[in-house]
Amino acid sequence: MSTTTTEQQLIEPHGGKLIDRTGSRPDGVEGLEQVELTSRELSDLDMLASGALSPLEGFMARHDYEGVVDNMRLANGLPWALPVCLAVDREPDGDQVALTGPDGTPLAVLDVDGAYEYDKEREAERCFRTTDDAHPGVKRLYDQKPLYLAGRVTVFERAEPSFPELAMDPAETRAAFAERGWKRVVGFQTRNPIHRAHEYLTKGALETVDGLLIHPLVGDTKSDDVPAATRVECYRVLVENYYPADRVLVAAFPAAMRYAGPREAIWHAICRKNYGCSHFIVGRDHAGVGDYYGTYDAQLIFDEFEPHELGIEPMFFEHAFFCKVCGSMATPKTCPHGGDDHVFLSGTKVREMLGEGQLPPAEFSRPEVAEVLIRAYRG
Ligand SMILES: [Zn+2]
């Protein structure tokens, strides 16, 4: 079977076609008005370039933005859960602007398709389900500039990936899946260190499909989240020691966290579809923060779409633990025993132990992973 044939058996990108907005540097970029991007906008730009945000080709125009905020759909009816917008102070004069990084280096041109006012409170209420500025996503939104600038982008200078060895565009993960003969692939992300509970659910999912894409988010997160470098090292040692090499791929997901809970779960799933995943793991409180979202909100929101509309299939998981009576990892779905029989440690307790150089019980963390975390907490 040729690679092409196998590749055709992978799930289609969202909207049917993988977008590529990379291109060569046009003449006269130096003369264009410049718009400096924030780090989140830079993540979005890179994902627009690679097709991770297919079918989007640029920052959203008003009709797409309104549709997404109102009912989680682009103007053409395709599901889409979160705005991908570029905030500016004023509408530029020319037809094109240069988009730059923080040091002023032009990375892309944007073909201006108008600028529009937007209602921050309404976006917060609809997308984050709160207008509380203590919410990190809402705060970021409130701090933004007052207009959204729409337009298709052409990226001629890709940002240096934070983890070059894990940098894979959707076309590359798709090629890697095809090469391994995978058709059904489950994607998994967490912004937390990976413990036995995550290992259990990824392996449970993997039992039913061909391959597993461990796809840690490496864009901006809150300052109190565990740094990406530490998380990535945890995945590396876990996969090396406990997963069959020909069934798992670890690659970086360059998105920034928005902490939009349920809507972000949909958005994360759609992005993974573009990377070639047919399934996506959604745990409890996916992409949540504080107590803004109910435990199962990020799973329930998938019911608002017909299965064929999203294409990618969510796999819902409960919180997992080791049960001493069952003698195995389990969840409330599969274990009838009480909390006293479960090996459970709070996040605070785990951090405390690691900070003191103590290994958590082997039923909770693999020792190789715990060692990585101990070094990180002590360094
Ligand atoms: Zn049990």
Side-chain angles (χ1 to χ4, degrees):
M1 190 180 289
S2 78
T3 303
T4 322
T5 317
T6 316
E7 203 160 352
Q8 282 163 357
Q9 291 169 3
L10 287 170
I11 192 170
E12 278 198 341
H14 199 50
K17 178 169 154 257
L18 196 62
I19 299 299
D20 176 1
R21 292 310 306 162
T22 58
S24 52
R25 184 190 179 96
D27 292 336
V29 170
E30 299 70 22
L32 295 175
E33 185 173 333
Q34 294 196 341
V35 174
E36 185 187 318
L37 304 191
T38 64
S39 63
R40 185 190 55 82
E41 290 159 354
L42 283 169
S43 297
D44 287 351
L45 179 70
D46 197 63
M47 291 172 71
L48 288 167
S50 73
L53 300 181
S54 299
L56 301 189
E57 298 191 318
F59 291 101
M60 284 180 173
R62 184 202 290 268
H63 54 298
D64 280 332
Y65 169 77
E66 297 287 352
V68 167
V69 170
D70 283 346
N71 58 18
M72 293 196 286
R73 285 174 194 279
L74 298 171
N76 66 8
L78 202 63
W80 194 270
L82 289 172
V84 174
C85 293
L86 171 55
V88 294
D89 280 320
R90 52 182 273 295
E91 180 158 8
D93 300 323
D95 297 340
Q96 283 194 322
V97 291
L99 306 180
T100 77
D103 61 353
T105 311
L107 307 171
V109 287
L110 177 140
D111 301 315
V112 176
D113 181 25
Y116 53 97
E117 289 179 350
Y118 63 103
D119 182 338
K120 293 180 178 180
E121 285 214 346
R122 185 156 160 279
E123 183 179 327
E125 177 64 49
R126 301 289 306 166
C127 297
F128 294 99
R129 300 189 179 185
T130 175
T131 53
D132 181 1
D133 65 4
H135 182 294
V138 173
K139 177 169 188 338
R140 198 255 314 140
L141 171 61
Y142 287 180
D143 290 344
Q144 277 181 176
K145 292 169 180 170
L147 297 177
Y148 280 149
L149 179 61
R152 197 162 82 142
V153 296
T154 305
V155 179
F156 48 83
E157 185 77 47
R158 297 282 298 275
E160 197 62 43
S162 31
F163 298 91
E165 73 284 9
L166 298 183
M168 290 182 91
D169 285 343
E172 293 168 315
T173 53
R174 285 175 167 272
F177 298 164
E179 194 184 305
R180 294 165 186 219
W182 299 353
K183 288 174 226 158
R184 291 152 53 85
V185 183
V186 61
F188 172 73
Q189 88 160 51
T190 164
R191 61 177 201 273
N192 296 313
I194 194 161
H195 293 299
R196 291 291 298 273
H198 301 116
E199 181 184 335
Y200 175 71
L201 38 116
T202 54
K203 286 182 169 176
L206 180 53
E207 292 291 358
T208 72
V209 295
D210 304 319
L212 166 67
L213 174 66
I214 296 183
H215 215 202
L217 178 141
V218 299
D220 274 6
T221 56
K222 297 186 278 106
S223 54
D224 58 341
D225 279 351
V226 175
T230 304
R231 285 183 285 123
V232 163
E233 182 61 9
C234 292
Y235 297 125
R236 201 185 59 73
V237 297
L238 187 74
V239 167
E240 208 172 272
N241 290 286
Y242 298 99
Y243 287 73
D246 59 347
R247 289 286 173 196
V248 58
L249 182 69
V250 184
F253 181 51
M257 273 308 292
R258 286 156 156 85
Y259 301 98
R263 278 197 182 223
E264 194 158 10
I266 298 282
W267 194 74
H268 281 161
I270 291 174
C271 295
R272 271 30 180 263
K273 179 183 175 186
N274 289 327
Y275 282 90
C277 296
S278 55
H279 294 72
F280 183 62
I281 293 174
V282 182
R284 301 193 343 163
D285 201 24
H286 184 100
V289 63
D291 52 8
Y292 291 99
Y293 309 108
T295 306
Y296 298 103
D297 285 357
Q299 300 182 348
L300 293 170
I301 194 171
F302 282 83
D303 292 340
E304 295 181 31
F305 299 94
E306 298 297 325
H308 72 271
E309 291 188 300
L310 292 175
I312 188 164
E313 195 174 322
M315 296 176 101
F316 301 133
F317 280 90
E318 270 286 348
H319 176 65
F321 44 75
F322 187 90
C323 172
K324 288 179 259 186
V325 181
C326 292
S328 63
M329 295 297 294
T331 75
K333 273 185 184 168
T334 52
C335 159
H337 307 111
D340 289 350
D341 297 320
H342 300 161
V343 178
F344 174 80
L345 286 86
S346 70
T348 316
K349 177 71 189 160
V350 178
R351 280 191 294 275
E352 217 174 85
M353 293 183 78
L354 295 167
E356 288 164 5
Q358 262 184 291
L359 290 182
E363 294 85 0
F364 185 85
S365 274
R366 296 292 188 186
E368 294 87 350
V369 171
E371 296 287 355
V372 170
L373 291 170
I374 287 173
R375 282 200 301 276
Y377 281 110
R378 307 199 118 185

Coordinates of all heavy atoms in Angstrom, one line a residue, residues 321 323-328 330 334-338 341-342, ligand 1:
F321 N -7.3 6.5 39.4 CA -6.5 6.3 40.6 C -6.1 4.8 40.7 O -6.6 4.0 39.9 CB -7.3 6.7 41.8 CG -8.7 6.1 41.8 CD1 -9.0 4.7 42.0 CD2 -9.8 6.9 41.4 CE1 -10.2 4.2 41.9 CE2 -11.1 6.4 41.3 CZ -11.3 5.0 41.5
C323 N -6.4 1.5 42.8 CA -7.2 1.0 43.8 C -6.5 -0.3 44.4 O -6.1 -1.2 43.7 CB -8.6 0.6 43.3 SG -9.5 -0.4 44.6
K324 N -6.3 -0.2 45.7 CA -5.6 -1.3 46.4 C -6.4 -2.6 46.4 O -5.8 -3.7 46.4 CB -5.2 -0.9 47.8 CG -4.1 0.2 47.8 CD -3.8 0.6 49.2 CE -4.4 1.9 49.6 NZ -4.0 2.5 50.8
V325 N -7.7 -2.5 46.4 CA -8.5 -3.8 46.4 C -8.6 -4.4 45.0 O -8.3 -5.5 44.8 CB -9.9 -3.5 46.9 CG1 -10.7 -4.8 46.9 CG2 -9.9 -2.9 48.3
C326 N -8.8 -3.5 44.0 CA -8.8 -4.0 42.6 C -7.4 -4.4 42.2 O -7.2 -5.3 41.4 CB -9.3 -2.9 41.6 SG -11.0 -2.4 41.8
G327 N -6.4 -3.8 42.8 CA -5.0 -4.1 42.5 C -4.6 -3.6 41.2 O -3.7 -4.1 40.5
S328 N -5.3 -2.5 40.7 CA -5.0 -1.9 39.4 C -5.4 -0.4 39.4 O -6.1 0.0 40.3 CB -5.7 -2.7 38.3 OG -7.1 -2.6 38.5
A330 N -7.9 2.4 38.1 CA -9.3 2.3 37.9 C -9.9 3.7 37.9 O -9.2 4.7 38.2 CB -10.0 1.4 39.0
T334 N -15.2 2.0 37.0 CA -14.8 0.6 37.0 C -14.5 0.0 38.3 O -14.2 -1.2 38.4 CB -13.6 0.5 36.0 OG1 -12.6 1.4 36.5 CG2 -13.9 0.7 34.6
C335 N -14.5 0.8 39.4 CA -14.1 0.3 40.7 C -15.2 0.6 41.7 O -15.7 1.8 41.8 CB -12.8 1.0 41.2 SG -12.5 1.0 42.9
P336 N -15.7 -0.4 42.4 CA -16.8 -0.2 43.4 C -16.3 0.2 44.8 O -17.1 0.4 45.7 CB -17.4 -1.6 43.4 CG -16.3 -2.5 43.2 CD -15.3 -1.8 42.3
H337 N -15.0 0.3 45.0 CA -14.5 0.5 46.3 C -14.4 2.0 46.7 O -14.5 2.9 45.9 CB -13.1 -0.1 46.5 CG -13.1 -1.6 46.0 ND1 -12.5 -2.0 44.9 CD2 -13.8 -2.6 46.5 CE1 -12.8 -3.3 44.7 NE2 -13.5 -3.7 45.7
G338 N -14.2 2.2 48.0 CA -14.3 3.6 48.6 C -12.9 4.3 48.5 O -11.9 3.7 48.2
D341 N -9.6 3.0 49.9 CA -8.9 2.0 49.2 C -8.1 2.5 48.0 O -7.3 1.8 47.4 CB -9.8 0.9 48.7 CG -10.6 0.2 49.8 OD1 -9.9 -0.1 50.8 OD2 -11.8 -0.1 49.7
H342 N -8.2 3.8 47.8 CA -7.6 4.4 46.6 C -6.3 5.2 47.0 O -6.3 5.8 48.1 CB -8.6 5.4 45.9 CG -9.8 4.7 45.4 ND1 -11.0 5.4 45.1 CD2 -10.1 3.4 45.2 CE1 -11.9 4.6 44.7 NE2 -11.4 3.4 44.8
Ligands
ZN1 ZN -11.4 -0.9 43.5

